[in-house]
Amino acid sequence: TKTDDRSKNWVLKPESEWVYTEVPAIVSVELWDECAGVVMEQRLKRKPPAKRTIHLFSGLVFCHCGTKMYVPSDSPKYTCQACRTKIPTADLEAIFHEQLKGFIFSEKEIATYLADHGERLTSSEGAVAALKREYETTKGESDKLYAAYSAGALDVTDFARHNEPWRQRMRELEADIPKAEATIDALKVSFQSQEEIIREARDLHMRWPELTPDQKRQIVEAIVERITIHPDEVEIDLYYSPDSGTPTGTGGGGPPSISSPLLTDRKLATRACRCGHLGDATLACSRAPRCAADYQAKVSGPLLDRIDLHIEVEALSAADLTMPPPAEGSAAVATRVARARSIQTERYADVEARTNTEIDGDVLEKYATPDEPGRILLAQAAAAMRLTARGYTRVLRVSRTIADLAGAKDVGRIHVAEALSYRRQPPRA
């Protein structure tokens, strides 16, 4: 290279000005070729790094003492480092495989799902028809005003003032009707695919040995929340539990028994977050409220949608414990409940139902439809809270029950508002 000493820019000299100087070789050509051959041979024989072994229930298995259990590299068993409780990985998989008989959908559950989906589809189609009828009515009212304006009965100002609300509602309906029709199309497609998936899932127990480890892991992650290993029992907590089934067990030296929590009455209790101190400024963790959202997301949406009443119970302080009892005691509440049930039994004497939870279809519409203010509130809340068809009907049933407890003949706005307040709310800060 060279420079002109002014700009300090170095440039490459022409090749004709290059100077070559011979120096002795550091290694011989033969040695170089031999080393290169060894390196190439090693490269060809080298195996790619092995993937880290992930066991089927990794991260989900806990000891009865509360310690998470792991599979050490020198033993094929889930092991508790605290109390040394152990269970072979093969045995735990065999236990889980056997319990798949109770985890998958039964004939009754499939029929219930299909009926529920059909109800949602029918409800959506009815909503679209109602929107179209309202559009035609609105358009008719607007046309009447225009005819009056054309006949000279209204001036421009009066026509604009009276016609604008109708035109505004027509614009809203023109936007809502295509959305509602798209929802119906989506429900029809979902109905076909979900029906096929559910029916194929029935033979999951038979196909389990044929599944790949990744497929098995996906199924476990989808339905298992936690597995607790007790000295004589394995407890499997699920995000979903079937409506039927009983714990099984053997005595003596047989395999461990299985217990699984049943959610037949859907009475659930959970912490607001993992530590349970959400909302307590002195004890809550630094990740609040994100930790609460992550923790509560473990419970599936369809399961939460089937729960009518979500009640948050605050921790009692010392001052709360010293306060006098409430004015209405348990006996008074029990009397009101008995009276409400009596009202429901009498109301449904001519149909195959005894309580509000059993009514559906035309019976639900007849007895649980709120008054006009309540209907408007429910329609607004259904859009704002994105209520499903199932959630919508459940709000109606709860509203009817609240009205019965209050001794009201009809469902009003205040009853609908209280029922909506019991729907699931997002985690608070």
Side-chain angles (χ1 to χ4, degrees), residues 1-13:
T1 57
K2 65 180 181 179
T3 180
D4 57 8
D5 290 331
R6 287 177 295 181
S7 62
K8 300 299 182 181
N9 291 330
W10 293 82
V11 297
L12 191 64
K13 292 180 179 180

Side-chain angles (χ1 to χ4, degrees), residues 202-391:
R202 294 175 56 198
D203 66 345
L204 179 60
H205 176 264
M206 299 294 294
R207 295 186 295 109
W208 180 263
E210 304 172 4
L211 300 179
T212 65
D214 288 342
Q215 291 173 329
K216 292 180 179 179
R217 178 67 185 182
Q218 290 176 3
I219 294 172
V220 169
E221 290 178 345
I223 65 175
V224 178
E225 180 179 10
R226 179 187 177 106
I227 299 176
T228 305
I229 309 300
H230 298 277
D232 57 352
E233 181 181 79
V234 175
E235 181 182 351
I236 304 177
D237 296 332
L238 305 176
Y239 293 125
Y240 162 80
S241 284
D243 286 342
S244 60
T246 56
T248 61
T250 59
S257 62
I258 310 298
S259 69
S260 176
L262 302 181
L263 310 181
T264 54
D265 53 2
R266 298 188 178 93
K267 296 176 182 176
L268 309 178
T270 182
R271 298 174 179 175
C273 61
R274 183 177 294 276
C275 66
H277 299 304
L278 185 69
D280 190 331
T282 61
L283 297 175
C285 67
S286 60
R287 294 185 63 245
R290 174 64 185 275
C291 62
D294 294 342
Y295 183 75
Q296 295 177 23
K298 292 184 176 182
V299 184
S300 67
L303 177 59
L304 290 172
D305 197 37
R306 287 174 166 83
I307 301 176
D308 294 330
L309 310 178
H310 293 257
I311 307 297
E312 183 174 326
V313 182
E314 300 284 353
L316 291 176
S317 64
D320 294 329
L321 297 174
T322 60
M323 293 180 65
E328 186 179 36
S330 299
V333 174
T335 301
R336 282 199 298 120
V337 171
R339 184 165 56 248
R341 289 184 67 90
S342 176
I343 292 173
Q344 295 170 24
T345 302
E346 182 179 351
R347 179 193 299 137
Y348 306 130
D350 298 333
V351 297
E352 295 182 358
R354 293 175 299 174
T355 60
N356 293 333
T357 190
E358 301 174 15
I359 62 174
D360 212 338
D362 295 338
V363 179
L364 177 65
E365 183 177 355
K366 178 180 179 180
Y367 293 109
T369 299
D371 58 14
E372 185 62 17
R375 187 191 66 80
I376 295 174
L377 174 62
L378 182 56
Q380 294 172 344
M385 300 172 67
R386 297 183 179 180
L387 293 179
T388 62
R390 181 194 301 115

Side-chain angles (χ1 to χ4, degrees), residues 170-186:
M170 286 176 63
R171 287 191 289 269
E172 293 175 354
L173 291 171
E174 288 171 352
D176 291 342
I177 290 175
K179 294 179 181 178
E181 291 176 337
T183 300
I184 292 176
D185 293 339

Side-chain angles (χ1 to χ4, degrees), residues 142 144-164:
S142 179
K144 290 179 182 179
L145 289 173
Y146 182 76
Y149 167 71
S150 300
L154 294 175
D155 58 22
V156 175
T157 303
D158 289 339
F159 171 71
R161 180 166 55 87
H162 289 89
N163 190 51
E164 180 55 29

